[in-house]
Amino acid sequence: DWWPVVDPDRGPTFDALLDPEQGGFVQLAPTEPFDLRRRYLPDTNLLETTFVTSSGSVRVTDLIPFGRNGNLSWSELVRQVEGIEGEVSMRWVVRPGTQLRQHQPEITAAPDGALIAVGDELLAVRAFDIGAAQVTGDQVSGEFSSRPGSVGILAFVAARRSPVFLAGREEF
């Protein structure tokens, strides 16, 4: 769970480890078998994951940004997907959980993504050049192929008890 505030009166929205049946998760990976290498870039909070498949390789760089003066009043997660070699079929899925069975998520399609409401939390899922966001049942997902030089972004903006900004690709 990557929300900025730990509140003992509510469960996390992405908690599949605690509740495999109704817990939420975010997944981004090749659709074929893969090996991976993972590292933090030196002196940064950037996590770099390289997926290597029989058809090519893809680099995913994850960032949880902070404001210049400390934590932001909202949370962001930005995942940049770069094609390195060959053509790799990829799939991403965002399935919010029920906050330990306290709330039922509501998902609404939005331009370039979706809006997810769970209890008093609102999450904007933003997808740029990584396949059109498809809202089906309890999740939002997309599929795409990465090629050398392709760059896509899967980003999340979350807030409690306040609206979220539907940032464009340039803002991320």
Side-chain angles (χ1 to χ4, degrees):
D1 195 10
W2 51 274
W3 303 103
V5 177
V6 176
D7 183 343
D9 295 331
R10 68 176 181 85
T13 301
F14 296 99
D15 59 346
L17 291 175
L18 300 174
D19 185 354
E21 291 178 20
Q22 294 186 26
F25 63 87
V26 175
Q27 184 178 63
L28 170 64
T31 59
E32 63 184 284
F34 58 85
D35 290 321
L36 66 83
R37 295 185 305 268
R38 187 169 279 158
R39 70 182 183 125
Y40 279 97
L41 297 179
D43 301 317
T44 73
N45 67 338
L46 298 173
L47 176 63
E48 180 182 271
T49 304
T50 302
F51 295 97
V52 179
T53 72
S54 62
S55 61
S57 59
V58 176
R59 179 183 309 121
V60 176
T61 306
D62 293 324
L63 167 67
I64 298 177
F66 292 92
R68 289 184 182 179
N69 297 321
N71 287 340
L72 302 171
S73 60
W74 63 91
S75 294
E76 292 183 16
L77 170 62
V78 181
R79 307 189 83 187
Q80 180 176 283
V81 183
E82 298 174 81
I84 299 172
E85 183 181 355
E87 183 173 333
V88 180
S89 178
M90 301 282 290
R91 177 170 166 75
W92 57 271
V93 177
V94 179
R95 189 186 84 196
T98 60
Q99 294 182 341
L100 297 175
R101 303 173 190 231
Q102 295 177 42
H103 301 284
Q104 190 62 37
E106 297 176 23
I107 304 174
T108 305
D112 297 316
L115 292 173
I116 301 172
V118 185
D120 62 358
E121 294 179 341
L122 187 60
L123 170 71
V125 178
R126 309 293 286 153
F128 303 100
D129 299 318
I130 58 164
Q134 302 293 318
V135 175
T136 52
D138 64 349
Q139 68 183 29
V140 57
S141 63
E143 294 185 13
F144 65 103
S145 291
S146 88
R147 295 172 181 84
S150 67
V151 178
I153 294 176
L154 179 61
F156 309 90
V157 179
R160 263 186 37 197
R161 298 185 193 102
S162 64
V164 295
F165 177 60
L166 293 178
R169 182 184 177 108
E170 298 75 33
E171 285 84 16
F172 292 113

